[in-house]
Amino acid sequence: MSESLDPSTRLRRLRATAGIRTMLTEISVEPRQLIQPIFVTESENLEPIPSLPGINRIPLSQLAAKCHELLKLGIHGIAPFPKIDESKKSADGVEAHSSNNLALRAIREVKQKCPEMVIFADIALDPYTTHGHDGILNSTKTDVDNDKTVAALVKMSVLTAQAGADFVAPSDMMDGRINAIRKGLDENGLTQTGILAYSAKFASAYYGPFRDAVGSTRKSGESLSKATYQINPANRRESIREAHLDDFEGADILMVKPAGIYLDIIRDVRESSALPIAAYQVSGEYAQIHAAAEKGWLNLKTTRDESLLAIRRAGADLILTYFAEAFAKDRQ
Ligand code: PBG
């Protein structure tokens, strides 16, 4: 018996057996809380994305089958992103408004063949612009023009909702877009279409693999700065202001992005709004875990599960994650 050590409180009592540890687990990650991002291609074949191991761009013809599989696994939501052919891109991204574009066809396909799937459709111009920015450039081509871009996003949102999306998800970070989109939807009788607002979206270096996946990476390889619209990673209070505004402007769900390296922001937003909170575990977060696992430096599944748990613990109700399907499969 130790003479110097006599703690009356021994926390290890509550960790002593698998039974008590299970009983006292505070939070969990369930497939129903996950949303699978899905890249859609015009081509007839699955296209692997080297920087996102295990994730393929999916042809339209295989989309419904994928959605049925996900539903069986307990995943009820997808976030589709189109990879637009280079020939259809332009400086102002008008392909976003073409009624038969890939994104709209994908939404119609899913709603027709797998209507139970909840679709969160991204609203931003980057898949459609030659420069890769989320909006339309100003006359000097030095920055994204806020108000012109908002007008384009409203039009895109109405088309997207008419195609059958359950939620439009503006990821552009323009000022005033939630209010404008809500008005546009309501004026077109789309009062039941929700808005998942990318409220606190940071100008992050972790979006690289996503830009490869949708083909918005610059050909020169130089990284594209979105610092005049996405939040400075150094700033915490700004994300609370963004969340308040989006809540006030009529968003139904608020989102923080990236997730795992912005857990403090998830907690802040959770505490500053009563709306449901989503967090986007972005492509770079997924790629990091996979790369380390490939080298044998981290265990893929336990690291994955812990990364998702941390995001839930920070306060996220929903998580967009490329791990959704694999996580749910391992649960079966
Ligand atoms: C663009 C958009 C981006 C992501 C989702 N929507 C990239 C960007 O802002 O450049 C990133 C998602 C990811 O990295 O997984 N509107």
Side-chain angles (χ1 to χ4, degrees):
M1 206 181 89
S2 153
E3 296 194 358
S4 58
L5 189 68
D6 187 18
S8 54
T9 302
R10 288 182 180 267
L11 290 173
R12 291 186 58 192
R13 286 177 206 128
L14 300 181
R15 302 175 195 142
T17 64
I20 194 68
R21 288 195 298 274
T22 301
M23 291 172 74
L24 293 178
T25 298
E26 292 179 34
I27 50 145
S28 62
V29 181
E30 309 293 338
R32 68 180 175 88
Q33 296 152 342
L34 306 180
I35 297 171
Q36 178 74 54
I38 293 185
F39 298 107
V40 186
T41 174
E42 202 72 78
S43 113
E44 285 302 309
N45 306 308
L46 283 178
E47 297 171 346
I49 304 158
S51 51
L52 289 174
I55 303 290
N56 298 303
R57 294 191 201 96
I58 299 178
L60 271 187
S61 57
Q62 297 181 31
L63 202 51
K66 170 63 81 184
C67 289
H68 284 296
E69 269 172 52
L70 290 170
L71 278 177
K72 272 199 209 120
L73 292 169
I75 295 170
H76 301 268
I78 59 163
F81 295 96
K83 164 118 174 21
I84 301 298
D85 204 81
E86 287 300 318
S87 66
K88 294 199 171 135
K89 295 187 183 184
S90 59
D92 51 6
V94 282
E95 175 65 8
H97 301 145
S98 132
S99 57
N100 223 15
N101 71 30
L102 182 60
L104 297 175
R105 277 183 283 142
I107 293 167
R108 286 188 211 112
E109 172 77 8
V110 172
K111 271 297 141 183
Q112 199 188 339
K113 302 198 176 141
C114 188
E116 312 90 317
M117 183 54 84
V118 182
I119 303 178
F120 299 88
D122 197 72
I123 301 293
L125 296 184
D126 55 308
Y128 306 97
T129 55
T130 37
H131 43 72
H133 277 293
D134 288 18
I136 300 169
L137 301 184
N138 59 12
S139 52
T140 52
K141 302 201 178 358
T142 47
D143 197 0
V144 173
D145 183 302
N146 192 85
D147 298 13
K148 261 193 213 161
T149 299
V150 170
L153 297 178
V154 170
K155 203 165 155 190
M156 183 177 177
S157 298
V158 170
L159 288 166
T160 304
Q162 283 168 342
D166 300 271
F167 287 81
V168 291
S171 65
D172 55 289
M173 294 299 285
M174 295 301 120
D175 288 321
R177 89 265 211 230
I178 300 303
N179 181 45
I181 289 173
R182 185 68 272 160
K183 256 171 79 188
L185 292 174
D186 291 350
E187 281 166 11
N188 284 277
L190 298 159
T191 54
Q192 284 304 104
T193 307
I195 301 178
L196 181 155
Y198 283 69
S199 300
K201 177 169 176 180
F202 288 84
S204 173
Y206 284 72
Y207 306 149
F210 173 94
R211 293 180 188 171
D212 296 340
V214 298
S216 66
T217 307
R218 292 214 156 158
K219 285 185 198 69
S220 59
E222 95 208 65
S223 90
L224 178 62
S225 170
K226 298 191 177 182
T228 69
Y229 44 106
Q230 300 177 346
I231 305 175
N232 176 349
N235 293 356
R236 177 179 168 195
R237 296 190 310 265
E238 231 173 291
S239 56
I240 301 174
R241 295 186 71 197
E242 285 283 2
H244 279 157
L245 275 174
D246 288 356
D247 187 335
F248 179 71
E249 290 182 30
D252 299 282
I253 304 175
L254 304 178
M255 185 144 78
V256 175
K257 173 184 175 189
I261 48 169
Y262 290 84
L263 297 177
D264 54 332
I265 308 293
I266 295 174
R267 172 57 51 187
D268 284 342
V269 172
R270 164 74 292 150
E271 286 172 0
S272 61
S273 171
L275 293 182
I277 307 298
Y280 198 146
Q281 183 181 50
V282 300
S283 56
E285 297 179 75
Y286 175 90
Q288 264 185 335
I289 293 175
H290 263 280
E294 256 169 48
K295 283 187 172 282
W297 294 347
L298 288 174
N299 179 291
L300 180 66
K301 289 182 187 175
T302 52
T303 310
R304 172 195 74 194
D305 292 359
E306 186 178 335
S307 72
L308 295 171
L309 195 64
I311 296 166
R312 287 270 304 134
R313 195 186 61 236
D317 301 290
L318 300 173
I319 307 175
L320 275 84
T321 172
Y322 301 94
F323 285 126
E325 183 175 6
F327 175 89
K329 268 191 187 146
D330 288 340
R331 273 301 173 88
Q332 297 270 299

